[in-house]
Structure formats: C-alpha cells, structure tokens
Amino acid sequence: MVNDIIADSITRIRNASMRRLEYTTLYYAKIVVSILEVFKTKGFIKDFRVNSKDNKQNITVMLNYDEKGKSLINEIKRISKPGRRVYKNRAELKRFKNGYGTIVVSTSKGVISNDEAYRNNVGGEALCSIW
C-alpha cells in the first residue's frame, strides 16, 4: 500500500532517469496523469500511456533524453507532502530556476504549471518541482 502516490511516482521517475531506462511503470491515479501531462507539455518526458490489465490500471512513462544520452530531468522533487501542505500565491509562482524549471500546481483551474498559473492569476498547492 502506498500512502503518497505522487511521491512514489516521482521517485520511480527519478530512479528510472538515473539508470537511463527507456520506460518506467507507475500506479494509476488521476492526479498522477495530470502531473504527467504537465511534464509532457514541458518536454521532460516523451509520452505516457494508461494500461488496463485484469481490472487494474497502471501508467507506462517513456522518458526523454538528449542526443548524448543525458536525461532531461536534472532534479525532480516533491514539495507539498501529506504531513505538510505547501500553498503558493500567484506572486510566488512567477519563475522557477530562471525559467528552466517548472512547479506543478494544483489550482481551481486544474493541475497546471507555474507559468500557466501566473498567467491565469491563480495560486494553489505546489505539488512538485522539476528542472
């Protein structure tokens, strides 16, 4: 049993990226799919696919590497945890790592990146950061 599905997914992606694996498998949750959509639009992962087998679902993530074989993910970190929620307002979401990084934020408009949250003038719970 996994208590924090987001932290488990982030750890699996980080470990697969360090080992330079082409694919990794995550447990299915709607919030994880939303986070992966942000990662895909920002170019940190190539693609992901939701698989269903014997009434159980999982997610296969295809990691993205540059032409030298180095992972495009330098660091991926969980910000808000079940024991300590972290909320950020619009002003705190302006830039992360000089625009090279992304903070994934859960807002009233859905799970979006910090750039999009700043443009939409909303704040929310900072789920994780990636750069």
Side-chain angles (χ1 to χ4, degrees):
M1 167 122 184
V2 177
N3 286 336
D4 189 3
I5 192 94
I6 299 171
D8 181 70
S9 301
I10 287 172
T11 301
R12 286 174 185 239
I13 291 171
R14 183 186 314 113
N15 291 343
S17 171
M18 285 191 300
R19 292 193 61 216
R20 290 177 173 52
L21 299 178
E22 193 174 346
Y23 298 97
T24 186
T25 305
L26 313 176
Y27 292 122
Y28 175 80
K30 288 181 184 178
I31 188 86
V32 174
V33 171
S34 301
I35 291 170
L36 290 175
E37 285 174 356
V38 173
F39 289 172
K40 183 180 175 184
T41 57
K42 292 292 183 175
F44 291 107
I45 62 173
K46 280 185 187 174
D47 200 11
F48 66 93
R49 182 175 45 253
V50 177
N51 305 320
S52 183
K53 180 180 174 186
D54 296 334
N55 212 8
K56 287 189 177 184
Q57 291 182 321
N58 61 14
I59 306 168
T60 304
V61 179
M62 189 186 324
L63 300 172
N64 202 1
Y65 300 96
D66 64 4
E67 54 276 343
K68 294 179 182 176
K70 187 177 181 300
S71 176
L72 294 181
I73 300 172
N74 293 322
E75 180 182 86
I76 182 169
K77 198 187 291 187
R78 180 82 157 110
I79 297 174
S80 185
K81 300 173 181 167
R84 182 174 176 266
R85 301 291 183 187
V86 177
Y87 297 95
K88 296 193 181 275
N89 59 23
R90 176 185 184 264
E92 295 172 316
L93 293 173
K94 189 168 185 180
R95 287 173 67 85
F96 178 68
K97 297 283 186 184
N98 266 346
Y100 291 110
T102 300
I103 298 174
V104 180
V105 186
S106 177
T107 67
S108 58
K109 309 243 186 223
V111 177
I112 55 177
S113 67
N114 61 331
D115 305 333
E116 206 172 328
Y118 186 78
R119 279 193 303 269
N120 291 337
N121 199 19
V122 292
E125 182 181 356
L127 298 176
C128 62
S129 65
I130 186 169
W131 72 276

